[in-house]
């Protein structure tokens, strides 16, 4: 299973973290510091895997962002690499040519998407189309709900006047 | 407008980080204007993100975040925060927490937000709580109710949000609260909901298998869901279930195979394609499950052959094409499956082919996978490694740390006695580069394991161990140090005193050098102190004062380390005792004096006692001291007679006087547990079963006053009384017997504590041998015979020769760059094939045939003598059966025609049994002793006859209790503090073992039986030697002489 997902910028700044196994805040900080040090210092030609505290970390760099996933030792590294890519493709499709800033300013959306791709540390949906469909449905519903609620609150506001 | 801003932003961003920051400012502003309509993007939030993005240093970022936290704390607590604002605060909290700061003050607001009716707020609330809270957080209980409600919602998006939260937040205690609803959701019309429900159930299954046991069939049904995503979700859960209980799911094998077949044949909707590969993630899951189902099951495996072939064929790239990542991921998984199941040769061939392709690839990722795959393939077909030796060595020398480690893992798997030196050398040099404790511990453990299993010589073992201690220090378990000490005291074997003392002298030198270093781990200091104390002055190159001075320095440099101090003072005691024993005047040097004075006043009673003991020695005569602490006495056996036969008389008389008989511990426990279960059963009426309950409280029923409640209280004191009485009587027994035996000495000896009292009695039979005396005896003799035969050749030089040649080889490996790889390859892989004719192979072959020859005399009823050179006995290593058998496999392979006797040897060689035999309870009659050995003219079969006599004489030696207690103290070494004694128990060096009579004849017989002896003698000692010797001596021990029936049973029973 996937224990956590990290997105770190080239400068070592955290862009997104998702923990599927329990880690305390202190451990989280330590893990991020340790791993970003290890990953950022690795050359481009080296392999995308790290053995780390009895687990494996698979990472891949997209432009200025490193996507890292920590998996069990008996998991398939190449598959994990493709899960990362799968996630990136979905982000790309959603944001339309995704870049780091999209994730910085809309990190909550990235979380929603991640929740549709991975759940409880397992790959949940392997079809990009169906992820896109669910996210779109949520967005329209949220828009819809927002309109409703704003109109509702308008009505209430008017009524109470 | 927004999209325009985005475009600029991206452009700026891709431009480079420095320019970006300036442009970010303007863009951010534009963005904030442009996205006014967006529900989240308030100016404040954008400013925060921007400020953090522009922060030049970690400290600056920190201060911004701290300010933000303060700000949020104030704002969030205000009454009547509008919903929209609150939502933004929560998102900002998530941001703060993501950056590694504590936002726990806001958790409760996130939880509150999940109660909101507005879907938008609810989702934000769920998102924040899943990110904030771990499953064991106190606030979880507040959210359960909301989740229950939301799971019933009509809106499937609400249900999805709740299910996502369920996966993260529901813990073992709260599972029952939501389980029924989640199960109901398996029938939901929307596939998204079904899928998430399955995942939630999977999570429950991981958390608490017991609460899910009634739902196992559900998972099978879900497998037939018409939606592929739901089916694939079920695979996750089934994988876990199958790995927990393979048998229960065998009947699903056909279903999995047919699903995999359909997926591979592209029957799933196109939406599940990933880079034109049909649903690869599902394929990989299925392959994993098949690997579990096919393991060790011929029938199930056969069902998989065709589908595996199919999958490989479909994913195999064309010639010269490296293939895409995802097809290779599937292929790698196929290798895993093939090597796990009972595959046919065709599949194995395919797996080997793919592995080769991975290894030859330029991509480091594929090389890594290739190394891993190779590790799997060679477990089935060891010869396969040879083909790829050069690729493996390339990986080993690669600058990529991950790849290097993976390769070391592989080497670890394929280590044998022929290549252990090279591999361990590699591991140690790799360990030098490591800094973190986790990796270091792991690799140190591996080195130790390999060294113990395969060490070619004792010298090498000691050197390697010292390096490990030095590098990994306190990460090494203490037992390893004890093994090392044991080895030193035991020496190279039984015959070669000269080699032993050489070994010891070199150990003394190396430790004296090491002690010059400023910082050493405690464990290495302990070993060093012990060695210096035991052997520091033995060879005469160092004066007692020198060594004592060094020891004092060590103790002084580590004032806080009582263990090291204890080792140091014991070592000083030993050296003084040796001096006194040799009749020389001992005047303690001033610093030692002050050290001893310090210890006399130490808070640690252990150190104090050691210091007092040292003082006692100065008052004793030389003769007495010599007996108490003989030079090189640490190898002697200390025997524990747990039956305490000398107490029998006392016990009998006590029983006759009406004392209660001794109850076995189990019997006592039996009484105890019976009672406790009784108590608990009577109590269980009142105690509610633990765990949270989520249904409403039932109407209380009147508690039935249990009539039996009084019973335990009346039972208990009775029982206690009997126990105390029992222990009192036992104590009395031991005490009075102590008095009986010790007489006036007892007051002083009390110091030693009860443990030592047991020990002393066994010490009284000091000269008696190990519980498997017959075999031990014979082994010893055989060793001597070896010594006798090989001394004629070149025995003393042999160990050195071996070391020299190995170090020479090592140097060569380092020096020649182009040929280096070849050589390394040969040294790593050479042993794996006979045809290669590598030196290891030849050596092994010669020895093997010799072994075969040697075993043969056993048929004549005469215990055979292996005519090996000065090969080492290996009982110091915790040899494992695997090792034994693998090495023996080599033997069998190589000795061809003589295979039958070798088989015998193999069957009878079992290191564990051997150890057991050495440590076990002594068998009664057969306790032949060193006294027996002293009568060297005796034919040694007749030793059995004389054994009873001898043991009697041994026990009659037990007179001088003072001497014995002290001798026990010495040979026990640090037992009080460290339990070395356990490790030393099976040492059985007989200090002055003279060649026994009658050996010449036997040596002759053995050499005549094994014409190749001369050749092998020149080859020097090796693993095969020792193995073979052990095998032979096993054989001897097994000869049913009647004197050792227990051993016979051990081996064949």
């Amino acid at each position: 299973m996937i224990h956590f997902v990290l997105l770190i910028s080239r400068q070592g700044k955290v862009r997104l973290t998702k923990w599927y196994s329990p880690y305390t805040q202190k451990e989280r900080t330590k893990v991020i510091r340790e791993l970003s040090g290890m990953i950022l210092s690795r050359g481009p030609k080296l392999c995308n895997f790290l053995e780390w505290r009895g687990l494996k970390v698979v990472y891949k760099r997209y432009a200025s962002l490193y996507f890292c996933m920590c998996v069990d030792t008996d998991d398939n590294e190449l598959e994990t690499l493709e899960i990362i890519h799968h996630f990136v493709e979905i982000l790309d499709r959603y944001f339309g040519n995704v870049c780091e800033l999209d994730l910085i300013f809309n990190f909550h959306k990235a979380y929603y998407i991640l929740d549709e791709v991975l759940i409880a540390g397992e790959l949940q949906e392997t079809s990009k189309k169906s992820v896109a469909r669910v996210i779109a449905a949520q967005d329209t519903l949220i828009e819809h709900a927002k309109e409703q609620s704003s109109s509702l609150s308008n009505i209430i506001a008017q009524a109470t006047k | 407008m927004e999209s325009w801003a985005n475009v600029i932003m991206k452009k700026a961003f891709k431009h480079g980080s420095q320019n970006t920051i300036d442009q970010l400012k303007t863009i951010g502003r534009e963005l904030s204007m442009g996205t006014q309509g967006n529900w989240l993007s308030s100016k404040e939030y954008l400013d925060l993100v921007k400020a953090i993005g522009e922060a030049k240093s970690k400290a600056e970022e920190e201060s911004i975040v701290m300010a933000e936290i303060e700000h949020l704390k104030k704002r969030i607590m205000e009454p009547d925060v509008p919903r929209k604002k609150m939502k933004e605060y929560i998102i900002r909290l998530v941001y703060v927490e993501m950056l590694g700061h504590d936002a726990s003050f806001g958790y409760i607001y996130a939880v509150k937000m999940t109660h909101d009716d507005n879907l938008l707020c609810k989702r934000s609330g769920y998102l924040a709580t899943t990110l904030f809270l771990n499953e064991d957080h106190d606030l979880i209980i507040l959210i359960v109710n909301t989740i229950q409600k939301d799971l019933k919602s009509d809106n499937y998006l609400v249900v999805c949000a709740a299910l996502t939260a369920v996966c993260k937040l529901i813990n073992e205690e709260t599972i029952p609260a939501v389980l029924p609803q989640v199960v109901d959701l398996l029938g939901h019309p929307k596939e998204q909901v079904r899928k998430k429900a399955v995942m939630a159930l999977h999570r429950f299954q991981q958390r608490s298998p017991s609460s899910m046991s009634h739902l196992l069939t559900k998972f099978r049904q879900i497998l037939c869901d018409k939606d592929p995503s739901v089916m694939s979700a079920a695979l996750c859960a089934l994988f876990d279930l199958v790995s927990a209980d393979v048998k229960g799911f065998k009947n699903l094998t056909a279903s999995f195979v047919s699903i995999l077949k359909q997926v591979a044949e592209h029957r799933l909707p196109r939406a599940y394609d990933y880079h034109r590969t049909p649903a690869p993630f599902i394929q990989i899951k299925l392959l994993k499950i098949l690997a579990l189902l096919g393991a060790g099951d011929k029938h199930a495996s056969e069902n998989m052959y065709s589908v595996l072939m199919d999958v490989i064929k479909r994913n195999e790239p064309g010639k010269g094409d490296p293939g895409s990542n995802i097809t290779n991921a599937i292929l790698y998984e196929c290798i895993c499956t093939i090597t796990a199941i009972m595959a046919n040769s065709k599949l194995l061939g395919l797996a080997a082919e793919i592995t080769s392709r991975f290894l030859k690839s330029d991509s480091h990722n594929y090389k890594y996978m290739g190394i891993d795959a190779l590790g799997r393939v060679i477990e089935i077909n060891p010869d396969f490694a040879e083909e790829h030796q050069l690729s493996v060595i390339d990986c080993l020398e690669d600058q990529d740390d991950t790849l290097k480690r993976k390769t070391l893992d592989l080497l670890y798997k394929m280590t044998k006695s022929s290549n252990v030196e090279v591999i361990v050398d590699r591991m140690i040099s790799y360990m030098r580069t490591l800094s973190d404790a986790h990796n270091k511990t792991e690799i140190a453990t591996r080195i130790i394991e390999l060294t113990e299993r395969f060490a070619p010589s004792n010298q090498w073992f000691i050197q390697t161990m010292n390096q490990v201690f030095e590098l990994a220090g306190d990460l090494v378990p203490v037992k390893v140090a004890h093994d090392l000490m044991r080895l030193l005291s035991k020496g190279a074997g039984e015959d070669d005193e000269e080699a032993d003392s050489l070994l010891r002298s070199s150990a003394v030198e190396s430790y004296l050098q090491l002690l010059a270093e400023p910082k050493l781990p405690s464990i290495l200091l302990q070993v060093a102190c012990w060695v210096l104390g035991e052997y520091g002055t033995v060879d005469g190159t160092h004066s007692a004062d020198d060594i004592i001075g060094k020891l004092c320095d060590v103790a002084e440099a580590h004032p806080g380390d009582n263990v090291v101090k204890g080792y140091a003072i014991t070592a000083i005691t030993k050296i003084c005792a040796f001096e006194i024993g040799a009749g020389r005047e001992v005047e303690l040097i001033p610093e030692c004096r002050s050290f001893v004075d310090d210890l006399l006043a130490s808070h640690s009673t252990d150190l104090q006692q050691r210091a007092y003991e040292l003082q006692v020695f100065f008052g004793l005569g030389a003769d007495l001291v010599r007996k108490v602490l003989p030079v090189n006495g640490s190898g002697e056996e200390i025997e524990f007679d747990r039956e305490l036969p000398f107490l029998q008389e006392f016990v009998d008389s006590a029983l006759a006087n009406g004392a209660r008989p001794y109850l076995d511990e189990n019997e006592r426990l039996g009484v105890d547990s019976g009672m406790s279960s009784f108590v608990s059963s009577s109590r269980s009426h009142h105690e509610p079963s633990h765990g949270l309950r989520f249904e409403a409280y039932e109407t209380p029923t009147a508690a039935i006053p249990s009539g039996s409640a009084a019973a335990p209280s009346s039972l208990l004191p009775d029982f206690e009384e009997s126990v105390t009485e029992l222990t009192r009587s036992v104590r009395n027994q031991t005490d009075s017997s102590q008095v009986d035996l010790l007489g006036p000495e007892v007051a002083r000896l009390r110091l030693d504590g009860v443990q030592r009292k047991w020990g002393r009695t066994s010490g009284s039979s000091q000269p008696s041998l190990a519980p498997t005396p017959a075999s031990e005896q014979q082994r010893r003799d055989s060793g001597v015979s070896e010594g006798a035969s090989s001394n004629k050749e070149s025995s003393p030089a042999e160990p050195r020769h071996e070391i020299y040649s190995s170090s020479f080889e090592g140097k060569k490996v380092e020096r020649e760059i182009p040929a280096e790889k070849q050589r390394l390859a040969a040294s790593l892989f050479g042993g794996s094939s006979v045809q290669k004719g590598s030196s290891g192979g030849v050596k092994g072959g010669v020895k093997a045939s010799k072994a075969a020859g040697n075993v043969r005399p056993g048929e004549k009823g005469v215990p055979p003598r292996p005519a090996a050179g000065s090969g080492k006995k290996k009982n110091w290593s915790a040899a494992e059966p695997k090792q034994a058998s693998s090495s023996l496999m080599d033997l069998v392979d190589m000795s061809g025609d003589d295979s039958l006797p070798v088989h015998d040897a193999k069957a009878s060689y079992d290191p564990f049994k051997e150890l057991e035999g050495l440590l076990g309870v002594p068998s009664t009659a057969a306790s032949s002793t060193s006294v027996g050995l002293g009568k060297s003219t005796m034919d040694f079969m007749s030793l059995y006859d004389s054994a009873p006599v001898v043991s009697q004489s041994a026990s009659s030696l037990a007179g001088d209790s003072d001497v014995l207690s002290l001798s026990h103290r010495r040979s026990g070494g640090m037992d009080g503090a460290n339990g070395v004694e356990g490790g030393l128990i099976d040492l059985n060096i007989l200090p002055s073992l003279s060649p026994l009579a009658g050996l010449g004849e036997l040596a002759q017989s053995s050499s005549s039986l094994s014409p190749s002896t001369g050749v092998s003698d020149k080859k020097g000692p090796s693993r095969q030697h020792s193995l073979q010797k052990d095998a032979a001596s096993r054989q001897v021990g097994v000869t049913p002489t009647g004197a050792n029936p227990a051993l016979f049973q051990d081996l064949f029973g």
Side-chain angles (χ1 to χ4, degrees), chain A residues 15 20 25 42 47-49 51 76-77 82 89 100-101 104 107-108 112 125 134 138 141-142, chain B residues 9 13 40 45 49 97-98 120 123 157 192 195 203 274-275 325 329 333 364-365 368 400 402:
Chain A
R15 294 300 179 214
Y20 294 103
Q25 189 68 33
R42 281 175 72 81
C47 64
N48 298 38
F49 321 126
E51 288 178 19
N76 186 333
E77 291 94 338
E82 293 309 293
E89 281 183 356
E100 192 178 341
L101 279 182
I104 295 175
F107 72 93
H108 56 289
Y112 288 135
E125 185 52 76
V134 179
Q138 282 170 1
L141 242 156
I142 284 169
Chain B
M9 219 162 59
F13 200 76
L40 182 67
Y45 169 72
V49 174
E97 177 113 346
M98 193 173 83
L120 186 59
R123 275 180 54 87
L157 288 173
Q192 279 100 339
K195 173 181 74 188
R203 192 68 164 176
Y274 179 87
H275 293 224
N325 239 344
E333 206 56 57
H364 274 76
N365 284 352
Y368 179 92
D400 189 341
T402 312

Side-chain angles (χ1 to χ4, degrees), chain B residues 595-606:
Chain B
F595 174 53
V596 174
D597 288 343
D598 269 0
L599 291 192
L600 285 175
S602 170
H603 285 299
S604 155
T605 40
D606 178 64

Side-chain angles (χ1 to χ4, degrees), chain B residues 363-381:
Chain B
S363 152
H364 274 76
N365 284 352
Y366 292 153
K367 276 189 190 166
Y368 179 92
M369 302 312 276
I371 293 283
D372 188 272
L374 184 61
R376 293 169 191 271
V377 175
I378 59 166
E379 268 171 31
I380 296 170
N381 178 12

Side-chain angles (χ1 to χ4, degrees), chain B residues 66-137:
Chain B
M66 292 319 275
E68 172 70 10
I69 289 178
E70 285 310 310
H71 177 70
L72 282 176
K73 248 185 206 167
K74 248 186 268 155
R75 300 293 296 277
I76 212 166
M77 296 195 189
E78 285 170 6
D80 300 331
V81 183
R83 232 190 228 161
K84 200 173 157 191
K85 256 297 181 249
M86 184 56 104
K87 200 167 49 202
E88 192 198 307
Y89 291 152
I90 299 283
I91 294 295
R92 276 155 76 176
L93 275 178
V94 171
Y95 194 71
V96 165
E97 177 113 346
M98 193 173 83
L99 292 175
H101 294 266
D102 180 46
S104 51
F105 65 90
Y107 289 177
I108 185 72
Y109 297 97
V111 172
K112 240 174 162 176
M113 186 157 261
T114 58
H115 303 337
D116 205 305
D117 290 334
N118 184 342
L119 175 61
L120 186 59
C121 293
K122 191 182 273 299
R123 275 180 54 87
S124 309
Y126 274 132
L127 178 66
T129 38
T130 50
L131 290 170
F132 287 154
L133 305 183
N134 273 330
E135 56 172 22
D136 50 355
H137 200 280

